[in-house]
Amino acid sequence: MPTAPDALRFTPPLDALKLTGIRKTFGGTTILSGFSLDVPEGQRLALIGGSGSGKTTVLRLIAGLERPDAGEIELFGRQLPYRRFAGRLIPDDPPEARELRRPVGMVFQHFNLFQHLTALENVIEAPIHVLGQSPAEARRAAMALLDSVGLADLADRYPRQLSGGQQQRVAIVRALALKPRVLLFDEVTASLDPEKVAEVLAVMRALAADERVTMIIVTHEMGFAREVADRVVFMQRGVIVEDTPAAAFFAAPQDPRSRAFLNLAS
Amino acid sequence: MMFQLDYAGELLPILLEASLVTLGATLGGMALALVLGLALALLRRSPHAVLRRPASMFVEFVRSTPLLIQIFFIYYVLPLYGVRIPTVACGIVALGLHYATYTAEVYRAGIEAVPRGQWEAGRALSLPAYRIWRHIVLPQALPPVVPALGNYLIAMFKETPLLAVIGVHELLGTALQEASQTYRYYEPLTLVGLIFLAFSLIAALILRRVEVRLADRS
Amino acid sequence: METLFTTVIALVPRLLDGAVTTVAITLLTAPVAALLALIAGLARLSHVKAVAAAAVVYVELFRGTSLLVQLFFMFYVLPLIGIELSPWTTGVATLALNFGSYGSEIVRGALLAVPRGQIEAALVLHMPPSQVLRRVLLPQALPAMLPPFGNQLVELVKATSLLSLITISDLAFVGNALAQTTGRVTMVYVLLLLIYFAIAYTLTLAVRALERRYGTGATVAGAR
């Protein structure tokens, strides 16, 4: 089927992501029940709330690291299939789910760089073995990305030879190397030394300037959320308490629970 | 060839009786392995090289040679030098010696896991070495290694059929004897396998219980 | 007059013949056992429940019964139900199945010990499970498997002696025969123990060298 070039094609505003009626329990504890959320393409969504509010679970469901007990997840209008029991070692979803999730990238709180690979090898692993790029091509792109976050010199170091902030920047680059259209950030600065937080936030700030990428940011950095996000979803015990434009949220939170949270956080 | 249930039914009481010999040899061997293993572990931590070296060499040597040959050695060679003990005792000694080298390693791991500070505190109170071992180090070193010792108990149990080679009438020996009379191997050997499987599964369940109990305590 | 020296000279070459057989059995069995261990270890973690269950049955069956009983069962019972194997095939197959069942626990333990985050990182990079296994899990789990597999290799050398009981003329078989025919009981058994020790200890040293080279799970290759 012939398609028009992107610039000429009329594209109605499309939800990058749509969660409907999600229920998720862990060993009898209900984390989410009937959770729904629409995220338009290009939005910078800050997902905030105390620990146990379910915000990380939302990210992990989108990324395919958890399976919902009920409900649907749609990515760019396509519903994601999943298996109920997916194996004890490597969760295994149908291949079409993996295909549909291609546009999604995720960065973790604990970086999770591959310990047996260097920084560069971490970044080129998926472009070569998932996208099928040539090693030379992947290497060139990876070096450019590493350079853009100031880590070209450290490309040949192993993760344990890097500081937390450096590891997290490599992890972001590793996600970017697959050119994601949706990026999930799970408390990416929470396990960093305070003086390393800024270098990671700077990288994310630069990313946020690219309007095409949808970002969902789970964070405790209220200052950063205020600066980068254009929408805030505040969660408590698996329920959305407040869902407003970021500016409104930080200026005057409506719900007493969000007010209490903001007071504590700042 | 069909599995004959009648014959199996005749065999079962005989084999269950023989399993008492198997269990007896296991318990006897384990008792020896527990005591001797602790002695070896302590000797290997001795400050005197005269004690430490031979203990280490003994452990390395016995661990690296087959139990089967050790059984033959004790059964055939020792009597030549005037050591005459009953056949079953030969088997128990062989099992005990062999597994003592394994329990010694287990004890060692337990002892090494006791923090240095415990030793230093004992010395600061100027307790004699014996009292430090007896009242401070061992009471902390032993409980955590009980599951590992239990695993060797099960392993030893599964090696008792080797005693059949010197004529101990434990499970396998009895089964082979029965088979040689009827020329039917199918039923006796299958039953022996099933009995071992049953005992092992029961032992594993008990061991898991003990592990949970120990984990709860700490 | 026969001296100690001439006795040793007379015995050693025949024992060494047996030793060659022992080493051959070990080297033949070890790779098969390792392969079985890998397959069974992975199968136990499969998302196909029947596969996982089959692996559990195999592992529990061979771990729960005794090696010598298994050997005799295969040797005496299989021909009765129409499966004719040579003693060598019977011996090597039984040893491999037995050690494969123990090894599968090593494989499983090492795979499960790789931090969860490594798997998750691979998944969010959209790797299919086979690739996660091959490129992320196994490279990190293999170093941790080396020391326990080394111990298993020494246990295997010792266990090959049981094959003497199903007519294979390995070191133990030759030794027992010589002890009976020559009457040099003490000498033969001492030599037997020494030769077994030499074989096992050589393997121990080889495995230790390998460990030093490829590191243990804690210090993965390349990191200082």
Side-chain angles (χ1 to χ4, degrees):
Chain A
M1 191 176 71
T3 49
D6 279 347
L8 296 180
R9 213 167 9 149
F10 171 74
T11 42
L14 186 64
D15 275 343
L17 198 63
K18 190 176 168 74
L19 282 72
T20 320
I22 302 285
R23 190 162 59 80
K24 179 68 191 170
T25 59
F26 288 108
T29 315
T30 303
I31 306 296
L32 301 171
S33 59
F35 181 89
S36 298
L37 180 71
D38 293 2
V39 184
E41 190 169 9
Q43 191 166 66
R44 270 112 260 280
L45 173 72
L47 202 53
I48 62 178
S51 60
S53 61
K55 52 198 192 313
T56 288
T57 304
V58 171
L59 286 199
R60 293 173 57 83
L61 283 160
I62 298 167
L65 300 176
E66 309 285 355
R67 272 136 206 83
D69 298 327
E72 286 167 13
I73 302 172
E74 271 179 34
L75 261 170
F76 299 102
R78 304 277 303 275
Q79 193 183 323
L80 296 173
Y82 55 88
R83 283 195 185 116
R84 177 65 81 230
F85 175 72
R88 255 164 292 181
L89 188 61
I90 306 168
D92 186 12
D93 271 332
E96 60 268 33
R98 209 161 42 239
E99 269 328 293
L100 290 174
R101 274 205 182 86
R102 270 285 170 80
V104 179
M106 180 163 176
V107 185
F108 299 88
Q109 177 180 348
H110 297 290
F111 335 130
N112 297 347
L113 290 182
F114 300 131
Q115 295 298 309
H116 61 304
L117 301 178
T118 63
L120 178 63
E121 286 165 347
N122 262 279
V123 178
I124 62 176
E125 176 69 25
I128 294 175
H129 292 100
V130 174
L131 299 186
Q133 290 180 7
S134 75
E137 180 190 0
R139 198 173 290 266
R140 207 175 316 115
M143 282 311 292
L145 279 170
L146 282 171
D147 191 40
S148 73
V149 299
L151 290 176
D153 295 346
L154 305 180
D156 292 326
R157 294 239 184 136
Y158 283 88
R160 72 191 62 224
Q161 299 168 313
L162 298 172
S163 74
Q166 290 165 341
Q167 288 192 56
Q168 194 59 294
R169 281 183 280 159
V170 175
I172 293 173
V173 163
R174 180 173 69 173
L176 291 178
L178 292 176
K179 302 197 171 58
R181 292 168 69 193
V182 176
L183 259 177
L184 311 172
F185 293 91
D186 185 12
E187 314 233 21
V188 293
T189 56
S191 53
L192 295 179
D193 296 334
E195 72 271 18
K196 307 285 183 192
V197 170
E199 62 190 53
V200 171
L201 290 184
V203 171
M204 290 174 65
R205 203 173 284 120
L207 274 178
D210 179 350
E211 307 254 304
R212 286 163 306 180
V213 180
T214 309
M215 291 167 77
I216 304 182
I217 306 164
V218 166
T219 184
H220 285 126
E221 298 282 336
M222 287 308 126
F224 180 70
R226 178 176 210 158
E227 176 191 348
V228 168
D230 34 47
R231 175 182 170 194
V232 172
V233 167
F234 176 72
M235 291 177 67
Q236 200 172 46
R237 296 209 191 99
V239 176
I240 295 179
V241 171
E242 191 158 345
D243 179 357
T244 48
F249 182 85
F250 289 106
Q254 296 303 303
D255 194 283
R257 286 168 291 185
S258 350
R259 270 201 297 274
F261 179 81
L262 269 188
N263 282 338
L264 274 177
S266 55
Chain B
M1 181 167 218
M2 286 281 291
F3 189 88
Q4 290 186 356
L5 276 177
D6 293 355
Y7 181 40
E10 273 171 49
L11 280 171
L12 195 60
I14 301 171
L15 291 180
L16 285 180
E17 209 181 313
S19 71
L20 292 180
V21 178
T22 294
L23 288 179
T26 309
L27 293 179
M30 195 63 192
L32 192 58
L34 286 177
V35 175
L36 204 61
L38 186 59
L40 285 170
L42 295 180
L43 284 175
R44 290 183 82 177
R45 299 202 41 119
S46 162
H48 308 290
V50 227
L51 297 176
R52 212 169 51 226
R53 290 260 172 72
S56 288
M57 278 164 60
F58 180 82
V59 169
E60 285 272 11
F61 188 79
V62 173
R63 261 182 91 111
S64 303
T65 49
L67 175 60
L68 182 67
I69 310 299
Q70 292 162 8
I71 292 173
F72 283 136
F73 187 88
I74 288 170
Y75 185 70
Y76 289 118
V77 177
L78 291 192
L80 300 178
Y81 301 88
V83 185
R84 278 172 218 288
I85 49 175
T87 312
V88 181
C90 282
I92 291 176
V93 168
L95 286 172
L97 279 176
H98 193 78
Y99 276 89
T101 61
Y102 288 88
T103 56
E105 289 292 305
V106 173
Y107 286 128
R108 178 162 81 161
I111 291 166
E112 278 172 5
V114 176
R116 280 191 65 81
Q118 298 292 312
W119 272 100
E120 284 155 10
R123 280 209 205 91
L125 296 168
S126 47
L127 293 173
Y130 165 76
R131 289 196 76 82
I132 300 179
W133 275 112
R134 173 80 182 73
H135 295 286
I136 299 177
V137 176
L138 290 183
Q140 296 183 69
L142 297 187
V145 300
V146 167
L149 294 173
N151 277 327
Y152 282 122
L153 175 70
I154 298 177
M156 180 191 282
F157 170 69
K158 284 181 289 194
E159 290 220 75
T160 52
L162 265 65
L163 304 191
V165 299
I166 53 169
V168 175
H169 285 283
E170 46 62 70
L171 263 170
L172 182 67
T174 307
L176 290 174
Q177 197 189 22
E178 291 294 325
S180 69
Q181 281 166 13
T182 57
Y183 297 103
R184 291 192 62 92
Y185 283 90
Y186 197 175
E187 294 82 2
L189 286 175
T190 307
L191 283 180
V192 170
L194 289 176
I195 294 173
F196 267 103
L197 195 60
F199 275 124
S200 299
L201 291 179
I202 294 168
L205 283 179
I206 296 173
L207 195 62
R208 205 164 301 161
R209 271 255 178 75
V210 172
E211 271 176 62
V212 170
R213 199 57 80 67
L214 283 169
D216 285 349
R217 256 181 39 173
S218 56
Chain C
M1 200 187 101
E2 224 177 314
T3 63
L4 185 74
F5 182 71
T6 54
T7 319
V8 171
I9 290 291
L11 290 174
V12 162
R14 306 190 43 195
L15 287 173
L16 286 184
D17 277 350
V20 169
T21 305
T22 291
V23 171
I25 295 167
T26 307
L27 295 183
L28 211 59
T29 309
V32 184
L35 191 66
L36 284 171
L38 190 64
I39 293 171
L42 288 172
R44 280 194 73 166
L45 300 167
S46 168
H47 72 267
V48 184
K49 281 186 177 158
V51 172
V56 170
V57 170
Y58 157 62
V59 171
E60 293 303 321
L61 201 61
F62 277 88
R63 273 165 43 103
T65 55
S66 162
L67 174 60
L68 187 57
V69 174
Q70 290 159 20
L71 212 51
F72 279 5
F73 187 91
M74 303 276 259
F75 189 68
Y76 287 109
V77 176
L78 287 192
L80 298 180
I81 54 176
I83 305 173
E84 300 270 357
L85 302 172
S86 73
W88 263 84
T89 313
T90 307
V92 169
T94 312
L95 275 178
L97 284 166
N98 184 279
F99 277 79
S101 72
Y102 284 93
S104 76
E105 294 286 288
I106 296 171
V107 171
R108 192 169 75 107
L111 286 173
L112 289 175
V114 175
R116 201 73 210 140
Q118 297 289 306
I119 300 171
E120 298 190 342
L123 289 173
V124 302
L125 293 170
H126 316 296
M127 290 190 197
S130 62
Q131 223 175 75
V132 179
L133 183 68
R134 238 174 342 104
R135 303 204 49 92
V136 177
L137 277 176
L138 284 179
Q140 297 194 50
L142 282 174
M145 294 179 201
L146 268 184
F149 268 140
N151 288 338
Q152 286 293 92
L153 195 59
V154 172
E155 294 295 324
L156 178 60
V157 173
K158 290 156 61 181
T160 57
S161 65
L162 300 195
L163 267 53
S164 67
L165 302 174
I166 60 163
T167 74
I168 287 179
S169 37
D170 71 336
L171 183 53
F173 187 92
V174 173
N176 279 326
L178 284 176
Q180 278 171 27
T181 53
T182 65
R184 292 271 169 194
V185 178
T186 308
M187 170 73 65
V188 167
Y189 282 115
V190 167
L191 283 174
L192 264 188
L193 289 172
L194 286 174
I195 298 175
Y196 269 113
F197 178 74
I199 298 172
Y201 202 66
T202 308
L203 284 174
T204 306
L205 292 181
V207 171
R208 275 187 205 153
L210 212 64
E211 276 169 42
R212 260 198 304 282
R213 192 171 152 137
Y214 293 105
T216 58
T219 51
V220 175
R224 275 178 289 231

